[in-house]
Amino acid sequence: MDTDIIISQLTEHFQEIVPLKEEEINIVTQKLEFIQLKKKEYLLREGQVSRHMRFIAQGSLYAYHIDEKGKENITQLGIENWWINDLYSYLSEQPSRMFIQANEDATIVQISKTNLELLYKEIPSISEFWRLKMQSAYVTLQERTFEHSRVDAYTKYRNFVTAYRNIEQRFPQYMIASYLGITVEYLSYLRKKHLSDVS
């Protein structure tokens, strides 16, 4: 793991939204932790309290909960340069109701809640970054909730592949189907229909 490359990657990610000075980057760097996961390893388990913000530097992960019938329901997919977390657990400090697991070997950069709150005071740009990120997360959640109840499956699929280009190749079909709330067989049908429509 080349931490210098990963720090540069994270720095560029921050600077897409807010400016950071060299000395501020150094302060942030001192508060980072690095985790390497093998495929299928857990980043977070149900019942644990999420105490970190987590950035995917390499690999892919997914978050899911298990319903009363024992079925996995996938709520988040994540690839490089995305953040993945149980925000409910992180913000409320309540035990997580989700699992977050590596879909591929992965490298994660995490910042503890304690350190992040220190950074908010030391570096106003970091506070601004997270204010904008939280707003974006809320908007995305609202859009997904609206889609779930009011949009047909084909439109959901089309919106998904348009918004998240190339992500479909990173995850098994059953995960994509679960994320969209449809069966694998129906996903296969929608994929063929979409390919026909765009060709």
Side-chain angles (χ1 to χ4, degrees):
M1 174 173 55
D2 191 327
T3 55
D4 288 341
I5 290 175
I6 292 170
I7 289 165
S8 294
Q9 180 183 350
L10 180 59
T11 300
E12 285 176 18
H13 177 74
F14 280 128
Q15 290 181 322
E16 286 172 3
I17 297 176
V18 295
L20 284 176
K21 299 172 185 172
E22 191 65 37
E23 59 268 27
E24 292 174 331
I25 293 167
N26 292 334
I27 293 169
V28 172
T29 299
Q30 291 167 17
K31 292 179 167 53
L32 302 177
E33 302 168 45
F34 300 88
I35 297 174
Q36 289 194 286
L37 297 173
K38 293 291 186 186
K39 183 177 180 176
K40 300 291 184 187
E41 279 192 295
Y42 288 93
L43 183 62
L44 183 72
R45 290 177 182 268
E46 182 182 37
Q48 295 177 325
V49 176
S50 179
R51 302 189 189 278
H52 298 81
M53 280 298 187
R54 298 175 170 106
F55 175 79
I56 305 171
Q58 296 171 350
S60 62
L61 294 95
Y62 61 104
Y64 66 93
H65 69 270
I66 298 176
D67 64 22
E68 63 279 359
K69 296 178 182 176
K71 180 184 174 186
E72 286 185 11
N73 294 276
I74 294 178
T75 55
Q76 294 179 53
L77 303 170
I79 58 173
E80 291 86 3
N81 295 325
W82 292 18
W83 297 82
I84 191 163
N85 203 1
D86 179 350
L87 277 180
Y88 171 82
S89 176
Y90 178 86
L91 293 170
S92 69
E93 299 187 352
Q94 296 297 309
S96 177
R97 294 173 285 190
M98 299 197 312
F99 296 86
I100 301 178
Q101 194 170 7
N103 175 58
E104 304 166 337
D105 291 355
T107 302
I108 308 298
V109 185
Q110 64 179 25
I111 309 173
S112 72
K113 190 173 188 179
T114 301
N115 279 334
L116 197 50
E117 286 173 356
L118 289 172
L119 288 175
Y120 290 161
K121 295 172 185 174
E122 292 180 75
I123 308 171
S125 291
I126 294 295
S127 179
E128 176 70 359
F129 175 86
W130 279 110
R131 184 183 69 79
L132 295 169
K133 274 288 178 186
M134 290 294 185
Q135 285 180 358
S136 176
Y138 181 75
V139 168
T140 300
L141 177 62
Q142 288 285 83
E143 286 176 346
R144 186 147 187 246
T145 302
F146 177 85
E147 271 199 351
H148 185 72
S149 59
R150 301 189 186 186
V151 175
D152 66 272
Y154 181 57
T155 303
K156 270 193 232 180
Y157 174 76
R158 194 178 60 212
N159 290 347
F160 173 77
V161 295
T162 301
Y164 307 120
R165 295 184 185 280
N166 303 319
I167 195 173
E168 195 176 10
Q169 287 72 45
R170 302 285 296 275
F171 292 90
Q173 282 196 32
Y174 80 88
M175 289 189 188
I176 304 292
S178 175
Y179 180 79
L180 294 173
I182 58 178
T183 65
V184 173
E185 293 77 16
Y186 197 41
L187 174 62
S188 180
Y189 163 76
L190 294 177
R191 180 182 282 137
K192 288 174 186 171
K193 176 175 169 53
H194 181 68
L195 288 172
S196 174
D197 288 349
V198 298
S199 62

